[in-house]
Amino acid sequence: MVADQIHLVRHGEVHNPSRVLYGRLPAFRLSELGQRMAAAAADDLAARGRPVSALYASPLQRAQESAAPIATRFGLEIIPEDRVIEPFNEFEGKRMSRALRNPLNWPKLRNPSKPSWGEPYASIVNRMTAAVESAWRATDSGDAVIVSHQLPIWMMHSSVEGLQLRHDPRKRRCALSSITTFERTTDGFIEVGYTDPAAALAVGSTDVGAV
């Protein structure tokens, strides 16, 4: 048997008063608002009445904390999954508004299609697809949940939908604590749903993950 659905859940708001691009930097925890967002995602999954029998999460603190209320709701252990981690990024620890005005950083922007400032989009697609495939195969029945980050989830969406991987980061449809759902067909994975259970909490939130 295999999983019925795979739900990719993005983490909640991060405590980031300096508004830096945190990327893979350690010790970026959820804010109090982010904890409420994570709970909203868990509530949304529980309200669906679907059996969730496996829970995976990126090893970064914000993802592990976002997975915690889901684990509590469904009585599951959180399985660390390195392949759904945030991409590496040359701008980690910097405020993007300042970094983009610095001519010393301009060579990093030379190839936005790859992109030249971080992990190639194709690499993100490959590892995310492999992680989703593994979760699908390893789940004997019911659904699997994977808690990840905006760019990896958006890359999975773009790949499945046949979209160009190069994109404007400001136009990603992947809100904090949103849930993007996939199913497997004979032709591969298809996207079957997107919900934003924390939308009412998002006003005034800080969202600085990766470019």
Short mmCIF file of all heavy atoms in Angstrom, two decimals, residues 155-178:
data_model
loop_
_atom_site.label_atom_id
_atom_site.label_comp_id
_atom_site.label_asym_id
_atom_site.label_seq_id
_atom_site.Cartn_x
_atom_site.Cartn_y
_atom_site.Cartn_z
N MET A 155 8.63 24.99 -5.67
CA MET A 155 9.30 24.25 -6.73
C MET A 155 8.55 22.96 -7.05
O MET A 155 8.43 22.56 -8.22
CB MET A 155 10.74 23.94 -6.34
CG MET A 155 11.67 25.14 -6.38
SD MET A 155 11.99 25.76 -8.07
CE MET A 155 10.75 27.09 -8.17
N MET A 156 8.06 22.28 -6.04
CA MET A 156 7.27 21.06 -6.27
C MET A 156 6.00 21.41 -7.04
O MET A 156 5.64 20.73 -8.00
CB MET A 156 6.93 20.40 -4.93
CG MET A 156 6.21 19.07 -5.05
SD MET A 156 7.29 17.78 -5.70
CE MET A 156 6.10 16.44 -5.90
N HIS A 157 5.34 22.47 -6.63
CA HIS A 157 4.14 22.93 -7.34
C HIS A 157 4.46 23.26 -8.79
O HIS A 157 3.75 22.81 -9.70
CB HIS A 157 3.58 24.17 -6.63
CG HIS A 157 2.66 25.00 -7.47
ND1 HIS A 157 1.34 24.70 -7.67
CD2 HIS A 157 2.91 26.13 -8.20
CE1 HIS A 157 0.79 25.60 -8.47
NE2 HIS A 157 1.72 26.49 -8.80
N SER A 158 5.51 24.02 -9.01
CA SER A 158 5.86 24.45 -10.37
C SER A 158 6.20 23.26 -11.25
O SER A 158 5.80 23.20 -12.42
CB SER A 158 7.05 25.42 -10.33
OG SER A 158 6.72 26.57 -9.59
N SER A 159 6.92 22.30 -10.70
CA SER A 159 7.29 21.12 -11.47
C SER A 159 6.06 20.31 -11.87
O SER A 159 5.90 19.92 -13.03
CB SER A 159 8.25 20.25 -10.65
OG SER A 159 8.55 19.05 -11.31
N VAL A 160 5.18 20.09 -10.91
CA VAL A 160 3.97 19.29 -11.18
C VAL A 160 3.05 19.99 -12.18
O VAL A 160 2.45 19.35 -13.05
CB VAL A 160 3.24 19.02 -9.85
CG1 VAL A 160 1.82 18.52 -10.09
CG2 VAL A 160 4.01 18.01 -9.01
N GLU A 161 2.98 21.32 -12.07
CA GLU A 161 2.10 22.08 -12.95
C GLU A 161 2.73 22.42 -14.30
O GLU A 161 2.09 23.03 -15.16
CB GLU A 161 1.67 23.38 -12.26
CG GLU A 161 0.82 23.16 -11.02
CD GLU A 161 -0.54 22.58 -11.34
OE1 GLU A 161 -1.19 23.05 -12.30
OE2 GLU A 161 -0.95 21.62 -10.65
N GLY A 162 3.99 22.04 -14.49
CA GLY A 162 4.67 22.33 -15.75
C GLY A 162 5.01 23.79 -15.94
O GLY A 162 5.12 24.26 -17.08
N LEU A 163 5.24 24.51 -14.85
CA LEU A 163 5.57 25.93 -14.92
C LEU A 163 7.08 26.12 -15.03
O LEU A 163 7.86 25.24 -14.64
CB LEU A 163 5.06 26.65 -13.68
CG LEU A 163 3.57 26.52 -13.37
CD1 LEU A 163 3.23 27.21 -12.06
CD2 LEU A 163 2.74 27.09 -14.51
N GLN A 164 7.50 27.28 -15.52
CA GLN A 164 8.91 27.61 -15.52
C GLN A 164 9.41 27.70 -14.07
O GLN A 164 8.72 28.24 -13.20
CB GLN A 164 9.16 28.95 -16.22
CG GLN A 164 9.04 28.90 -17.73
CD GLN A 164 9.50 30.20 -18.37
OE1 GLN A 164 9.75 31.20 -17.69
NE2 GLN A 164 9.62 30.18 -19.68
N LEU A 165 10.59 27.17 -13.85
CA LEU A 165 11.14 27.23 -12.49
C LEU A 165 11.57 28.64 -12.13
O LEU A 165 11.47 29.05 -10.97
CB LEU A 165 12.30 26.25 -12.35
CG LEU A 165 11.95 24.77 -12.59
CD1 LEU A 165 13.15 23.89 -12.32
CD2 LEU A 165 10.75 24.33 -11.77
N ARG A 166 12.08 29.40 -13.09
CA ARG A 166 12.40 30.80 -12.82
C ARG A 166 11.11 31.56 -12.55
O ARG A 166 10.11 31.41 -13.26
CB ARG A 166 13.12 31.41 -14.03
CG ARG A 166 13.41 32.90 -13.87
CD ARG A 166 14.11 33.47 -15.09
NE ARG A 166 14.32 34.91 -14.94
CZ ARG A 166 14.98 35.67 -15.82
NH1 ARG A 166 15.49 35.12 -16.91
NH2 ARG A 166 15.14 36.96 -15.61
N HIS A 167 11.14 32.40 -11.51
CA HIS A 167 9.91 33.07 -11.12
C HIS A 167 10.22 34.29 -10.26
O HIS A 167 11.36 34.48 -9.82
CB HIS A 167 9.02 32.10 -10.32
CG HIS A 167 9.66 31.67 -9.03
ND1 HIS A 167 10.67 30.74 -8.97
CD2 HIS A 167 9.45 32.06 -7.74
CE1 HIS A 167 11.05 30.56 -7.72
NE2 HIS A 167 10.34 31.37 -6.95
N ASP A 168 9.20 35.07 -10.00
CA ASP A 168 9.30 36.23 -9.10
C ASP A 168 8.94 35.74 -7.69
O ASP A 168 7.81 35.31 -7.45
CB ASP A 168 8.32 37.31 -9.55
CG ASP A 168 8.38 38.57 -8.70
OD1 ASP A 168 8.92 38.52 -7.57
OD2 ASP A 168 7.87 39.62 -9.16
N PRO A 169 9.90 35.78 -6.73
CA PRO A 169 9.61 35.28 -5.38
C PRO A 169 8.40 35.94 -4.72
O PRO A 169 7.77 35.33 -3.85
CB PRO A 169 10.90 35.60 -4.61
CG PRO A 169 11.96 35.65 -5.66
CD PRO A 169 11.29 36.23 -6.87
N ARG A 170 8.08 37.16 -5.13
CA ARG A 170 6.96 37.86 -4.52
C ARG A 170 5.61 37.29 -4.96
O ARG A 170 4.57 37.63 -4.37
CB ARG A 170 7.02 39.35 -4.89
CG ARG A 170 8.26 40.06 -4.36
CD ARG A 170 8.43 41.43 -4.99
NE ARG A 170 8.63 41.33 -6.44
CZ ARG A 170 8.82 42.37 -7.24
NH1 ARG A 170 8.81 43.60 -6.73
NH2 ARG A 170 8.99 42.20 -8.54
N LYS A 171 5.62 36.44 -5.98
CA LYS A 171 4.37 35.93 -6.53
C LYS A 171 4.13 34.45 -6.21
O LYS A 171 3.26 33.82 -6.80
CB LYS A 171 4.34 36.16 -8.04
CG LYS A 171 4.34 37.63 -8.41
CD LYS A 171 4.26 37.84 -9.91
CE LYS A 171 4.24 39.33 -10.26
NZ LYS A 171 4.17 39.56 -11.72
N ARG A 172 4.90 33.90 -5.28
CA ARG A 172 4.67 32.50 -4.90
C ARG A 172 3.36 32.37 -4.14
O ARG A 172 3.08 33.13 -3.22
CB ARG A 172 5.81 32.00 -4.01
CG ARG A 172 7.15 31.92 -4.69
CD ARG A 172 8.24 31.55 -3.69
NE ARG A 172 9.57 31.71 -4.27
CZ ARG A 172 10.67 31.97 -3.58
NH1 ARG A 172 10.59 32.12 -2.26
NH2 ARG A 172 11.83 32.11 -4.19
N ARG A 173 2.57 31.41 -4.52
CA ARG A 173 1.34 31.11 -3.78
C ARG A 173 1.68 30.03 -2.75
O ARG A 173 1.45 28.84 -2.95
CB ARG A 173 0.27 30.61 -4.76
CG ARG A 173 -1.11 30.36 -4.13
CD ARG A 173 -1.77 29.15 -4.71
NE ARG A 173 -0.95 27.95 -4.48
CZ ARG A 173 -1.21 26.77 -5.02
NH1 ARG A 173 -2.22 26.61 -5.85
NH2 ARG A 173 -0.41 25.72 -4.76
N CYS A 174 2.24 30.48 -1.65
CA CYS A 174 2.64 29.54 -0.59
C CYS A 174 2.76 30.33 0.70
O CYS A 174 3.85 30.65 1.16
CB CYS A 174 3.96 28.85 -0.95
SG CYS A 174 4.40 27.50 0.17
N ALA A 175 1.62 30.64 1.30
CA ALA A 175 1.57 31.48 2.50
C ALA A 175 2.09 30.74 3.72
O ALA A 175 2.23 29.50 3.72
CB ALA A 175 0.14 31.95 2.74
N LEU A 176 2.38 31.48 4.76
CA LEU A 176 2.80 30.88 6.02
C LEU A 176 1.74 29.91 6.52
O LEU A 176 0.55 30.22 6.55
CB LEU A 176 3.03 31.98 7.06
CG LEU A 176 4.22 32.90 6.80
CD1 LEU A 176 4.11 34.16 7.63
CD2 LEU A 176 5.54 32.18 7.06
N SER A 177 2.17 28.69 6.87
CA SER A 177 1.31 27.61 7.36
C SER A 177 0.26 27.17 6.34
O SER A 177 -0.75 26.57 6.72
CB SER A 177 0.65 27.98 8.70
OG SER A 177 1.63 28.02 9.72
N SER A 178 0.51 27.43 5.07
CA SER A 178 -0.40 26.95 4.04
C SER A 178 -0.18 25.46 3.80
O SER A 178 0.83 24.88 4.20
CB SER A 178 -0.20 27.72 2.74
OG SER A 178 1.12 27.55 2.25
#
